Amino acid sequence: MDFEYSEEQRLLSETIRRFLATGYNFDARAKIVASPAGHSDDVWAALAEMGVLSVPFGSEHGGFGGTTIDMMVVMEALGEALVVEPYLATVGLGGQFIARAGTKAQQDAILPGLIQGKTKMAFAHTERGARYDLAHVTTRARAAGDGFTLDGEKCVVLHGGAADLLVVSARTDGGDTDARGITLFLVPRNARGLTVTQARGVDAHRVAEVRLSGVTVGRDAVIGAEGQGLPVIEGVVDYATVLVCAEAVGAIKYAHDATLDYLKTRRQFGVPIGTFQALQHRMVDILISYEQARSIATLACVKIDSGDDVERRRIVSAAKIKIADAARHVSQEAVQLHGGMGMTEELKISHTFRRLTMIAQMFGDADHHLARFAASK
Amino acid sequence: MDLNYSPGEVAFRDEVRTWIRESLPEDIRDKVLNYRELTKEDLLGWHRRLATKGWVAPFWPVEWGGTNWTVVQRYIFEEECETAGCPPIVAFGVRMCAPVLLRFGTPEQKQRFLPRIYDGDDFWVQGYSEPGAGSDLASLKTRAVRDGDHYVVTGQKIWTTLGHYGDWIFCLVRTDATREKRQEGISFLLIDMKSPGITVRPIVLMDQGHEVNEVFFDDVRVPAANLVHEEGKGWTVAKYLLGYERMGTGRIALSKRELVRVKTLAARTRVNGGTLLDDPRFRDRITRVEVELMALEITNLRFLDQLRRGDRPPGAEVSMLKIRGTEIQQAITEMMMQTAGPFAHPYRAVDATAAFDTFTASLTGRYMNLRKATIYAGSNEIQRNIIAKATLGL
Ligand SMILES: Cc1cc2nc3c(=O)[nH]c(=O)nc-3n(C[C@H](O)[C@H](O)[C@H](O)COP(=O)(O)OP(=O)(O)OC[C@H]3O[C@@H](n4cnc5c(N)ncnc54)[C@H](O)[C@@H]3O)c2cc1C
């Protein structure tokens, strides 16, 4: 066993962190969040330049061919800096469908541009009423001419507004929650009949509602086998789940460091508040949550590359349970121990709270994954 | 022992319920029940309706407008108000400044301020905390220097809730910096917020709402007649007031209403062919909070009863109500947000045209906002310190 990051991974981590420390400090981030687009093209270009967009993709498309542990290195750094760019949506979701299930033609057409920062992607899947049920798809795709016509509505589409290309799930067969009959389609953002409205998320990430009304696509827009989309979706969503777990580790690390620093510097009753034993024990529990979160995320990142489907589901759910709990525990305690200051927009700690709160609830909350874990095996 | 309402109490409950039904404007009720922001006028409008009815300050002495209700009647009243979705009575005047004036004020101060508090003519706010003086309130630095018939006040307060609505602010100030015991140099001053030299600046909280402020005092001249109790005795006043402040922070009746709301939301949320309310994990969580709340309701009534018998200001026991009451409030807002699942994500519309579910967004907003409940009015850590010392003698 070896728990150390490799030399290459350390280098990757340092490169990203060096960039984020200057290009993505708290003030820079605030400006990006407040900008009309809600993300920065310059930052995106820099991520492409550093090779960060290439990490999980194969070298035949200009990728780095990295493992999920390599991705953990990236996600942790993005989590610590609370990066709001559409990285997860593009690299962790949209691009994954192409890399895993796309035809060679699709891969050749999309992945090089994605890696170079020219193409952003999003996954338009969740529908009203679906909650965490991945098989709940009522959007319809009807065969028409040599292609399909898509009709339906998607919500909470991560960075749907920024995407050039959307991966859209739609039913070619079966009832609203049947496992079979879901097909994946590649739809350009500017397709006729497709409208996107955006909201700023609790965590300042953009989320969109996507309405498809009579959107026509060709047969070459189908990703993977017709009607066989669900297993692909499950695989990609599990992967993205592990990535947000890794991101949470970074955000929790920040919350830990900032709170520890606050306990050492904030003085009340003539002493640093960290001298109060009641708070020392609370800080220790934050540390334990952080270490446990890092362990389970590491385990999940390793196993998702090697395990079979059953093991993958178990480990991903295990990770998400622990991460959701740790995210809740650490974010709440960090705010509490900062007192009134923890409640304000002025400190990064409240923004970290917001991101951790959303991560806890993304891709299945702890209850959802408890049920899935218990049902596996 | 009898834990049921008497026929008289039931009749009283019906009277209150009917009056609220007839008096509470629907738009205001909608705002409250859907967690939308209340304006100063919304708050004062309701306050004035209650004042006209004679119910705005039940626990004041009758000669100043109190109702002479029993502890149980007061409790019934509060519960009916919360259940129906009445706006809160802003505590700073009725529940904080007034008890202080009743206990320590001069006859002139009572005559001048109490009727205006009762009628909702002045909006009061609380100026205790400072950047360097939160939990350690006695370290406050805002200075008040005597100059003839006036004090000249210089310094800064922070976290002033609804300071931007404030007409008057009651402040703890340092009138003597030389006392070895810091508490002895503190005085309690009433300050007109229209006085020259006062600046109010908003602080935006993480839910992006504006409810707290910084208040700056730059050579503000305050008539010496606005000193409450003696100079240097402000700490006694402050402690007396804090008991009343904390008594209101348990918000048990509110939590009862919100618990029902969680159940309604969970019953409407479909999961795996059933509803979230059928999900044993979620249902158990609700149930635990529900039984905790059942116990706390009785604990509250027991303490109120003891208080009435002893005829003394609230002591360390209110700290227990504050701790458990706020923990319950937070647990409820957390469950509410969880009912939204992945749909809790969108928070603010970007495109003006977007169909946007502001109600769901408000659930997340409340979850974030209610983190304050374990921090303000003396953090829950400080409450535990108080109980450890005062009740347990540790
Ligand atoms: C939304 C909101 C509204 C408010 N409204 C008002 C208002 O209207 N008027 C007003 O005057 N004030 C108001 N306050 C201020 C509030 O009373 C203070 O925030 C509170 O007293 C804590 O002080 P602090 O924020 O400086 O935190 P600190 O005192 O710095 O505390 C930081 C952390 O250390 C802990 N801590 C401190 N001392 C100890 C100890 N001895 N043992 C164990 N733990 C300790 C605290 O519990 C907290 O977790 C408000 C605060 C908030 C958040």
Side-chain angles (χ1 to χ4, degrees):
Chain A
M1 270 197 198
D2 177 9
F3 288 105
E4 292 298 306
Y5 283 146
S6 68
E7 191 51 40
E8 218 170 15
Q9 285 160 344
R10 262 199 297 275
L11 215 67
L12 178 64
S13 170
E14 269 166 36
T15 311
I16 305 171
R17 278 161 203 272
R18 205 172 317 119
F19 165 71
L20 293 175
T22 51
Y24 221 93
N25 60 33
F26 187 56
D27 293 337
R29 178 184 182 273
K31 287 208 186 79
I32 292 169
V33 166
S35 69
H39 62 87
S40 156
D41 287 337
D42 292 346
V43 169
W44 197 251
L47 291 175
E49 181 71 22
M50 288 183 290
V52 177
L53 303 181
S54 79
V55 172
F57 302 108
S59 53
E60 65 278 22
H61 298 110
F64 175 79
T67 62
T68 309
I69 286 287
D70 295 321
M71 284 296 279
M72 179 166 178
V73 169
V74 175
M75 293 308 293
E76 256 189 270
L78 300 185
E80 228 175 300
L82 298 180
V83 170
V84 296
E85 322 308 310
Y87 186 80
L88 179 76
T90 300
V91 177
L93 288 163
Q96 289 301 314
F97 285 102
I98 308 301
R100 289 163 185 237
T103 59
K104 176 149 189 326
Q106 286 169 336
Q107 293 179 345
D108 290 345
I110 296 167
L111 293 180
L114 185 157
I115 288 166
Q116 289 160 26
K118 292 180 195 143
T119 309
K120 298 190 192 76
M121 294 188 73
F123 177 39
H125 177 61
T126 303
E127 298 180 3
R128 215 165 297 293
R131 204 173 167 85
Y132 300 123
D133 179 5
L134 293 177
H136 180 118
V137 174
T138 67
T139 296
R140 288 273 154 190
R142 289 179 187 81
D146 336 326
F148 295 86
T149 304
L150 276 56
D151 287 281
E153 267 179 49
K154 302 290 184 175
C155 54
V156 289
V157 179
L158 298 174
H159 295 285
D164 306 293
L165 279 176
L166 296 160
V167 175
V168 177
S169 58
R171 234 172 230 297
T172 40
D173 196 9
D176 288 352
T177 56
D178 284 354
R180 293 179 62 89
I182 299 170
T183 305
L184 293 159
F185 295 91
L186 198 57
V187 182
R189 163 80 171 72
N190 56 11
R192 278 178 69 131
L194 185 130
T195 43
V196 177
T197 52
Q198 295 193 65
R200 185 150 40 77
V202 172
D203 50 14
H205 283 253
R206 290 289 173 92
V207 286
E209 290 208 2
V210 174
R211 181 165 302 140
L212 303 122
S213 111
V215 174
T216 58
V217 293
R219 290 226 152 249
D220 58 353
V222 173
I223 306 169
E226 194 178 318
Q228 308 288 321
L230 187 60
V232 184
I233 293 170
E234 285 175 344
V236 171
V237 169
D238 273 350
Y239 179 72
T241 305
V242 169
L243 296 188
V244 292
C245 287
E247 184 187 342
V249 172
I252 288 171
K253 168 89 163 61
Y254 173 78
H256 166 278
D257 293 354
T259 306
L260 180 58
D261 187 55
Y262 201 74
L263 291 188
K264 288 179 176 170
T265 50
R266 170 69 172 170
R267 296 176 73 87
Q268 287 288 273
F269 304 99
V271 292
I273 56 174
T275 53
F276 302 127
Q277 214 160 50
L279 299 191
Q280 290 173 357
H281 288 190
R282 305 269 288 270
M283 191 63 224
V284 169
D285 287 338
I286 291 176
L287 174 63
I288 294 173
S289 273
Y290 161 62
E291 292 294 353
Q292 290 283 85
R294 169 173 293 286
S295 297
I296 203 84
T298 306
L299 182 67
C301 284
V302 169
K303 291 284 181 186
I304 200 168
D305 287 343
S306 59
D308 60 18
D309 280 0
V310 175
E311 189 179 15
R312 183 197 81 213
R313 293 162 69 94
R314 258 171 71 78
I315 291 294
V316 169
S317 284
K320 192 66 210 301
I321 293 163
K322 276 305 319 159
I323 291 290
D325 287 352
R328 201 82 86 208
H329 169 235
V330 174
S331 62
Q332 292 179 351
E333 287 290 82
V335 166
Q336 181 68 23
L337 298 191
H338 274 79
M341 285 309 297
M343 290 293 300
T344 68
E345 275 235 312
E346 270 163 61
L347 289 198
K348 187 175 159 187
I349 201 70
S350 73
H351 299 261
T352 308
F353 179 97
R354 285 150 59 167
R355 180 62 182 158
L356 285 171
T357 299
M358 284 305 104
I359 287 179
Q361 226 147 292
M362 202 180 276
F363 305 131
D365 58 12
D367 283 0
H368 172 83
H369 283 284
L370 279 163
R372 197 173 87 142
F373 186 89
S376 68
K377 236 194 358 182
Chain B
M1 204 173 275
D2 183 1
L3 298 185
N4 294 311
Y5 288 149
S6 70
E9 286 161 350
V10 171
F12 174 76
R13 187 192 65 193
D14 294 342
E15 182 194 349
V16 171
R17 195 172 287 181
T18 308
W19 181 80
I20 291 174
R21 194 179 326 116
E22 289 163 358
S23 312
L24 178 61
E26 200 154 330
D27 59 322
I28 300 291
R29 198 198 61 179
D30 268 8
K31 276 192 181 181
V32 172
L33 293 181
N34 293 299
Y35 317 117
R36 288 201 294 276
E37 198 179 330
L38 294 163
T39 64
K40 182 176 180 178
E41 268 322 299
D42 293 338
L43 293 166
L44 285 179
W46 179 241
H47 180 114
R48 292 188 186 121
R49 269 171 208 261
L50 283 170
T52 310
K53 175 71 180 168
W55 284 355
V56 88
F59 61 97
W60 289 14
V62 175
E63 67 265 36
W64 291 105
T67 54
N68 216 3
W69 287 342
T70 62
V71 165
V72 175
Q73 281 178 304
R74 269 195 249 154
Y75 186 75
I76 289 172
F77 178 70
E78 203 180 303
E79 175 156 7
E80 290 302 317
C81 285
E82 296 284 18
T83 308
C86 300
I89 293 300
V90 177
F92 304 112
V94 170
R95 268 180 179 277
M96 295 196 216
C97 191
V100 159
L101 293 174
L102 286 162
R103 171 75 179 77
F104 300 103
T106 62
E108 294 74 34
Q109 285 172 340
K110 289 182 193 172
Q111 202 54 59
R112 175 166 177 210
F113 293 112
L114 287 176
R116 294 183 60 83
I117 291 177
Y118 194 94
D119 293 334
D121 294 332
D122 296 327
F123 199 105
W124 280 85
V125 296
Q126 179 184 28
Y128 273 26
S129 309
E130 298 181 5
S135 298
D136 181 17
L137 190 56
S139 68
L140 62 93
K141 289 205 177 71
T142 297
R143 261 184 309 130
V145 180
R146 187 69 184 246
D147 177 24
D149 288 345
H150 285 78
Y151 286 98
V152 180
V153 178
T154 305
Q156 183 198 345
K157 296 294 174 181
I158 194 171
W159 313 122
T160 318
T161 298
L162 302 183
H164 49 305
Y165 293 171
D167 300 309
W168 281 80
I169 182 167
F170 54 86
C171 285
L172 291 177
V173 293
R174 189 159 299 285
T175 39
D176 185 349
T178 64
R179 304 302 285 249
E180 197 169 322
K181 207 161 177 297
R182 299 175 308 169
Q183 284 81 349
E184 289 172 359
I186 294 173
S187 302
F188 193 98
L189 267 188
L190 311 176
I191 305 179
D192 184 343
M193 289 190 77
K194 286 182 281 297
S195 313
I198 295 185
T199 316
V200 179
R201 264 196 231 145
I203 298 174
V204 179
L205 294 185
M206 70 165 129
D207 62 354
Q208 287 164 30
H210 171 206
E211 63 183 76
V212 295
N213 303 271
E214 292 179 287
V215 181
F216 297 89
F217 300 84
D218 185 15
D219 283 340
V220 176
R221 294 186 71 79
V222 179
N226 292 359
L227 174 75
V228 177
H229 203 27
E230 292 161 38
E231 193 177 289
K233 290 277 169 65
W235 194 249
T236 313
V237 181
K239 282 205 309 198
Y240 180 82
L241 183 152
L242 280 174
Y244 281 95
E245 176 179 6
R246 284 164 194 165
M247 201 160 62
T249 49
R251 304 294 300 270
I252 291 165
L254 172 70
S255 288
K256 282 174 78 174
R257 180 187 87 204
E258 293 299 286
L259 196 76
V260 174
R261 194 66 180 271
V262 183
K263 288 187 188 170
T264 313
L265 290 172
R268 280 212 306 249
T269 305
R270 315 268 334 152
V271 280
N272 308 327
T275 76
L276 191 57
L277 195 60
D278 304 325
D279 175 39
R281 288 182 186 81
F282 199 79
R283 201 185 45 220
D284 285 359
R285 204 135 20 94
I286 294 185
T287 307
R288 284 195 184 283
V289 176
E290 186 168 2
V291 296
E292 184 81 44
L293 189 57
M294 286 164 81
L296 192 66
E297 190 177 14
I298 300 301
T299 305
N300 184 36
L301 286 168
R302 280 174 49 219
F303 287 173
L304 285 173
D305 193 55
Q306 285 167 16
L307 216 67
R308 177 182 62 88
R309 286 168 204 276
D311 197 25
R312 57 181 175 81
E317 64 274 15
V318 293
S319 293
M320 292 187 218
L321 301 175
K322 201 261 169 177
I323 291 170
R324 269 296 179 271
T326 53
E327 287 172 353
I328 289 170
Q329 286 169 46
Q330 291 182 339
I332 291 174
T333 55
E334 190 168 330
M335 287 188 296
M336 277 201 175
M337 178 183 66
Q338 286 168 342
T339 63
F343 310 112
H345 206 159
Y347 195 58
R348 292 286 184 264
V350 171
D351 306 326
T353 52
F356 185 71
D357 184 355
T358 51
F359 176 74
T360 302
S362 73
L363 299 181
T364 323
R366 270 177 62 78
Y367 168 68
M368 294 191 275
N369 186 268
L370 261 288
R371 303 314 307 171
K372 72 187 176 187
T374 46
I375 297 170
Y376 66 26
S379 74
N380 285 20
E381 289 75 31
I382 294 300
Q383 308 295 344
R384 286 185 165 91
N385 287 351
I386 292 170
I387 298 171
K389 220 167 140 182
T391 309
L392 301 176
L394 291 170

